[in-house]
Amino acid sequence: MTETYLMWVNGQERSGQAELCHASSPEDVDETIQLAQKVFQSGIWSKASPHARADVLEAAAALLAKEVPNLIPLEVRQTGRAVREMRAQVPSLVRWFKYYAALLRTEERAVLPTVGKLHNWLDRVPLGVVAQITPFNHPLLIAVKKLAPALAAGNCVVAKPSELTPLTTLALGKLLKEAGLPDGVFNVLPGYGASTGKALVQHPLIRKVDVTGGTVAGRAIGSIAGGNLARYTAELGGKAPLVVFAAADIDVAVNGITFGSFMASGQTCIASTRIIVENAVLGQVLEKLKAKIDSIARRMGSPNNPESMMGPLISAKQLQNVTTLVDEAVESGNATALTGGKKMSGQSQLDGTDFTKGYFFEPTVLVSSQGGNDSILRTRIWREEAFGPVIAVVGFDTEDQAITLANDSEFGLGASVWTKDLAQGFRSLGGAKSASGIGSENGVDALREYTTMKSTIVNYASAEESLAAEDWFGDKSGGPVRYG
């Protein structure tokens, strides 16, 4: 893509001061946040009734549904993901606006117990101007999943999409304006994390930062947000284990592995990259998995081809990262590539696409080297997030061993267990780890995390009743006086 794109600020396209395709400078960031703060304080959105906000979200859902045919090719174009994936993913985003509209229409207030003639209820009110930083792998999906609860709660939003994939997030600006969202409530500032992103998250008017990205960046952003006493939600790194017990249906489990590992070319935080298989069925799993992956590789081609199974990685930098980790594991003698293991070359069997001109990496299965006694556990790719179509497979004999292997990571974002033994499945499922982030996404919890609590107490006693029960410093003593 060679054409430039603009920022979306205060309900209109605007040129930025930086050089990268009208990227946002620190001055642009400050001006946009100041504008958003004025809009928030005006109450045009922050004090609108829940039903009024729900109307806008429902209108946005309808417009998004109509725009899907245009958004799909734009998403494919900027990410390189296979169009068959985007045809499945993009239409599903409509439901997020509908869901939060429904929550607004059905929200109930909590009423607290009080002493005397007092009525005490709780409201959830918006935080103010919030920052959202989204990644390259699911640009529109993650933007909508963050945006819908933030808007539902009444906040003003300043979003910074990845500099690699800003186009569909920018497209949301016009769509939301047409849906009735007031100008300045939603703003998009493309740019680099080190400049635009840093200026955004460290601004004192930002009351919440919501980021999806790597753990190193997430920790740095969290320290800045904490310094401003801003709310913070972060979905960070992952190295998800997928455990296959002998009691599993092997064909179903292999389908689960390939879906969880190779969607988006493995570029997802919850990709199942550590495959932990009971030794009694390890041979069967590897045989079926290799056949499945070889089939994927044979049917790779142009991302625009509906028959293509998997697209390229996002950039040369990402390709180099994956290549380095795989080469290091194999060249150390600790791992062997059962299938794949290198950048793709030559032409696609499917449609003639020249793989040498893109960032295509073979779908790859790494196993311990022969006689290595699970030597793959000593590799960096077992522990570090490669963010590519590469999985590492190890065996186990006992349930305790499987759980130990699954927990052999600083990350704890997602996991899956494959077994037809229900009790075994319940015993094996676990929780989360801090290196994978903080806070909640999706559902009603996401809406609550974009609000703060407001407690209101109404005294409905008469003046005489109030003086008799609440005159703490009155002349008469000995009578009952309410405290709190």
Side-chain angles (χ1 to χ4, degrees):
M1 296 181 293
T2 58
E3 73 275 17
T4 60
Y5 48 84
L6 305 177
M7 305 184 303
W8 181 262
V9 178
N10 200 32
Q12 60 184 339
E13 291 182 327
R14 181 181 297 184
S15 296
Q17 297 182 34
E19 294 179 358
L20 170 68
C21 296
H22 299 288
S24 314
S25 68
E27 292 77 18
D28 294 322
V29 172
D30 179 63
E31 181 183 0
T32 301
I33 293 173
Q34 297 285 355
L35 285 168
Q37 179 69 11
K38 290 179 180 178
V39 173
F40 179 78
Q41 291 177 332
S42 75
I44 191 173
W45 183 251
S46 60
K47 295 181 181 179
S49 72
H51 288 288
R53 295 202 296 266
D55 287 343
V56 173
L57 294 180
E58 288 173 347
L63 290 169
L64 182 60
K66 291 181 181 179
E67 192 64 14
V68 160
N70 297 321
L71 291 172
I72 289 173
L74 192 58
E75 197 80 326
V76 172
R77 185 180 173 202
Q78 66 177 352
T79 65
R81 288 182 57 180
V83 67
R84 67 194 299 265
E85 294 182 10
M86 292 296 96
R87 287 179 175 176
Q89 186 181 95
V90 174
S92 72
L93 305 187
V94 172
R95 67 173 178 251
W96 292 100
F97 286 121
K98 289 183 176 180
Y99 173 77
Y100 286 104
L103 282 185
L104 287 176
R105 295 196 190 283
T106 56
E107 183 182 18
E108 296 180 351
R109 287 172 168 167
V111 178
L112 303 184
T114 54
V115 177
K117 293 188 175 182
L118 301 174
H119 185 58
N120 183 190
W121 72 88
L122 301 179
D123 286 308
R124 291 189 173 273
V125 296
L127 299 172
V129 181
V130 300
Q132 297 181 340
I133 299 178
T134 57
F136 67 78
N137 54 341
H138 305 279
L140 194 56
L141 170 68
I142 293 177
V144 168
K145 287 173 67 175
K146 293 182 187 300
L147 183 58
L151 294 180
N155 298 284
C156 288
V157 176
V158 181
K160 193 209 84 66
S162 166
E163 66 273 12
L164 299 172
T165 56
L167 302 182
T168 46
T169 305
L170 286 163
L172 285 176
K174 293 180 181 179
L175 186 149
L176 289 167
K177 181 170 184 173
E178 186 178 350
L181 191 71
D183 291 347
V185 175
F186 175 58
N187 309 274
V188 184
L189 300 179
Y192 291 112
S195 52
T196 306
K198 183 178 180 181
L200 180 59
V201 301
Q202 70 184 12
H203 200 286
L205 291 179
I206 292 294
R207 302 318 308 142
K208 177 180 170 70
V209 177
D210 191 339
V211 60
T212 297
T215 298
V216 173
R219 285 189 169 122
I221 293 169
S223 67
I224 296 171
N228 287 334
L229 298 180
R231 301 280 188 92
Y232 186 50
T233 297
E235 181 191 345
L236 305 177
K239 196 70 181 171
L242 185 152
V243 180
V244 181
F245 286 104
D249 182 296
I250 302 303
D251 290 321
V252 173
V254 168
N255 284 344
I257 293 170
T258 52
F259 176 82
S261 304
F262 300 112
M263 287 293 289
S265 302
Q267 298 172 118
T268 65
C269 298
I270 57 171
S272 50
T273 54
R274 298 184 299 132
I275 313 303
I276 302 164
V277 184
E278 192 163 351
N279 282 319
V281 294
L282 179 58
Q284 297 178 57
V285 169
L286 288 176
E287 180 182 359
K288 291 177 180 291
L289 187 58
K290 183 179 185 303
K292 193 84 171 179
I293 292 173
D294 288 345
S295 174
I296 293 172
R298 287 194 303 271
R299 293 179 292 158
M300 287 177 62
S302 167
N304 293 309
N305 187 339
E307 301 302 317
S308 179
M309 294 292 104
M310 196 177 83
L313 296 173
I314 188 68
S315 65
K317 179 182 177 182
Q318 192 58 31
L319 175 64
Q320 183 59 51
N321 181 58
V322 174
T323 301
T324 297
L325 287 172
V326 172
D327 287 351
E328 183 182 288
V330 173
E331 291 170 4
S332 70
N334 288 314
T336 299
L338 180 67
T339 186
K342 61 184 183 298
K343 180 184 184 298
M344 300 186 78
S345 59
Q347 290 189 328
S348 163
Q349 299 178 40
L350 179 69
D351 57 23
T353 295
D354 186 353
F355 289 135
T356 64
K357 295 182 178 179
Y359 310 127
F360 292 88
F361 196 89
E362 295 175 335
T364 299
V365 178
L366 298 178
V367 296
S368 289
S369 297
Q370 188 173 10
N373 190 26
D374 291 339
S375 56
I376 199 170
L377 301 180
R378 295 194 289 271
T379 65
R380 280 204 300 147
I381 203 165
W382 173 258
R383 299 186 181 281
E384 296 183 18
E385 190 174 35
F387 232 60
V390 181
I391 60 176
V393 183
V394 297
F396 69 90
D397 290 313
T398 68
E399 192 175 293
D400 285 344
Q401 289 176 346
I403 294 171
T404 298
L405 287 167
N407 284 323
D408 185 26
S409 173
E410 68 169 330
F411 300 112
L413 188 63
S416 63
V417 174
W418 296 79
T419 179
K420 291 185 286 187
D421 183 337
L422 188 60
Q424 184 179 59
F426 270 103
R427 287 195 302 270
S428 303
L429 291 172
K433 291 186 178 181
S434 60
S436 286
I438 187 172
S440 298
E441 289 193 327
N442 307 331
V444 67
D445 284 343
L447 179 62
R448 289 171 178 165
E449 292 214 6
Y450 272 101
T451 64
T452 190
M453 195 73 74
K454 176 183 176 182
S455 177
T456 303
I457 302 175
V458 173
N459 184 343
Y460 58 90
S462 66
E464 292 78 8
E465 290 172 323
S466 293
L467 290 172
E470 300 176 16
D471 188 2
W472 184 264
F473 295 104
D475 293 335
K476 297 180 180 179
S477 60
V481 180
R482 183 181 62 81
Y483 182 85

